[in-house]
């Protein structure tokens, strides 16, 4: 999920989540990616005319946050994760508490290896 998006498209999703103030024009990043993100159903126009993430878009950003969190824990066990990401990774058995921080489990390492293998 989301493997077909570029970094620029992920940035556009992030900017849409952050919100575009009413009356303001979307950034160049959002503008250049809107058509594709609409077509892939990651975003939609809300009733007020503003761009909003669809459920698919929200899930994709959450999964990206989880992958980034897993990578962060792998490099620095003292990394502080968002509570929803921490809960998800803990319930799935990808991280475990250790000495006031977290460590990546064997399952977490296998997951990252699988992700890396697929992205090549």
């Amino acid at each position: 999920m989301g493997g077909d998006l570029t970094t620029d498209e992920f940035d556009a999703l992030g900017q849409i989540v952050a919100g575009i103030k009413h009356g303001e024009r979307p950034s160049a990043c959002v503008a250049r990616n809107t058509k594709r993100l609409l077509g892939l159903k990651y975003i939609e126009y809300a009733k007020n005319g503003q761009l909003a993430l669809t459920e698919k878009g929200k899930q994709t950003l959450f999964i990206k946050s989880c992958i980034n969190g897993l990578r962060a824990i792998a490099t620095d066990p003292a990394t502080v994760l968002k509570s929803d990401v921490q809960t998800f990774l803990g319930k799935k058995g990808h991280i475990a508490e250790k000495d006031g921080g977290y460590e990546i489990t064997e399952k977490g390492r296998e997951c990252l290896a699988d992700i890396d293998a697929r992205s090549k």
Side-chain angles (χ1 to χ4, degrees):
M1 180 180 291
D4 55 340
L5 295 181
T6 65
T7 302
D8 196 44
E9 290 164 339
F10 274 116
D11 290 344
L13 289 177
Q15 290 178 29
I16 292 168
V17 167
I20 301 167
K21 293 185 176 94
H22 189 67
E24 279 189 16
R25 296 180 65 156
S27 69
C29 177
V30 172
R32 88 177 142 258
N33 292 296
T34 298
K35 184 176 180 181
R36 177 164 155 77
L37 293 172
L38 282 166
L40 293 172
K41 304 203 184 311
Y42 287 100
I43 60 173
E44 63 188 358
Y45 283 102
K47 291 181 182 180
N48 65 2
Q50 296 288 325
L51 288 171
L53 262 62
T54 61
E55 194 58 38
K56 180 180 179 181
K58 291 174 188 174
Q59 288 176 354
T60 300
L61 281 183
F62 180 72
I63 290 170
K64 185 175 187 320
S65 294
C66 289
I67 293 168
N68 290 342
L70 197 56
R71 289 187 197 285
I73 292 293
T75 57
D76 180 13
T79 299
V80 177
L81 300 174
K82 289 184 183 177
S83 62
D84 57 344
V85 171
Q86 177 184 330
T87 301
F88 180 81
L89 292 175
K91 283 184 178 180
K92 292 296 181 180
H94 294 304
I95 61 172
E97 283 191 57
K98 183 178 180 183
D99 301 328
Y102 289 91
E103 70 176 351
I104 188 169
T105 63
E106 186 59 38
K107 183 177 180 181
R109 279 192 274 294
E110 289 171 4
C111 181
L112 281 179
D114 184 49
I115 292 167
D116 291 340
R118 289 181 187 199
S119 64
K120 290 182 181 181

